[in-house]
Amino acid sequence: DSGVTQTPKHLITATGQRVTLRCSPRSGDLSVYWYQQSLDQGLQFLIHYYNGEERAKGNILERFSAQQFPDLHSELNLSSLELGDSALYFCATGQGGSSEQYFGPGTRLTVT
Amino acid sequence: EDKVVQSPLSLVVHEGDTVTLNCSYEVTNFRSLLWYKQEKKAPTFLFMLTSSGIEKKSGRLSSILDKKELFSILNITATQTGDSAVYLCAVEPPYLMRFGAGTRLTVKP
């Protein structure tokens, strides 16, 4: 158990819908990274927040957005969902700077 | 564009064998290279390497970084079936992470 929690564990929704994934970091971790992992794409970096501020964007679609709140938890919002958005979404947290990241258990999103 | 390439993509060995996994990278403003092990769940952290030539070791696993030649290797000695997993290499330019496709290691009894 990494100490990072993600909810929900599983999510099944229809195309066109909007969902929110939640990540609670380990105590003391200021950085939150979001990743998407699908079978054909591997682990893709989406976005990084540090202490409430966005630090970097990766392969994140315009339909996706994220934020980190004052209590340091983070949410990833996915809207206008498409079948291709079905994937495992991980958050990983760390102390920031050049430090190891600890992954949450992931949210498996299925879009039908 | 930043690139992380792992080889081989897949490897099958028998218990007791020693394996070497490779990770080469091209990235702007390199900060660190990390190795993760992923079984049927979230990746778990193995090593973080920032300096060339300094070996990191944890039990039967070890890793080293060559910043001149832009690669790292992960060695696993006396492999066990529990080592079967996908091993991921990630490189950190500032603020983001680039993962390789991973090496799928299968250890047969």
Side-chain angles (χ1 to χ4, degrees), chain B residues 19-54:
Chain B
V19 298
T20 298
L21 310 183
N22 302 290
C23 175
S24 64
Y25 63 91
E26 290 176 30
V27 66
T28 308
N29 295 327
F30 172 89
R31 290 178 69 169
S32 63
L33 184 146
L34 297 92
W35 284 97
Y36 288 88
K37 177 183 181 182
Q38 186 174 25
E39 298 170 90
K40 289 184 180 178
K41 45 193 176 185
T44 53
F45 172 77
L46 295 175
F47 297 112
M48 183 173 75
L49 303 155
T50 55
S51 302
S52 266
I54 299 175

Side-chain angles (χ1 to χ4, degrees), chain A residues 5-110:
Chain A
T5 59
Q6 285 187 252
T7 56
K9 284 186 182 175
H10 301 278
L11 200 47
I12 302 175
T13 189
T15 53
Q17 295 298 304
R18 173 189 169 94
V19 297
T20 297
L21 313 184
R22 183 187 169 106
C23 171
S24 294
R26 300 182 317 155
S27 176
D29 284 355
L30 299 177
S31 268
V32 175
Y33 296 75
W34 284 98
Y35 296 93
Q36 178 192 59
Q37 188 173 42
S38 53
L39 283 174
D40 59 344
Q41 291 282 327
L43 201 59
Q44 298 289 316
F45 165 73
L46 295 178
I47 198 164
H48 170 212
Y49 276 84
Y50 177 81
N51 203 21
E53 291 187 11
E54 180 186 304
R55 279 296 175 92
K57 273 187 174 179
N59 301 322
I60 189 165
L61 300 170
E62 285 190 14
R63 302 182 285 109
F64 296 1
S65 65
Q67 56 185 134
Q68 187 180 27
F69 294 86
D71 68 352
L72 301 176
H73 90 272
S74 179
E75 292 180 356
L76 179 67
N77 300 297
L78 315 175
S79 61
S80 303
L81 286 167
E82 301 174 0
L83 295 177
D85 297 327
S86 295
L88 200 49
Y89 290 84
F90 288 109
C91 76
T93 76
Q95 292 181 347
S98 192
S99 67
E100 57 262 38
Q101 296 177 13
Y102 293 87
F103 280 74
T107 293
R108 183 168 293 283
L109 173 66
T110 303

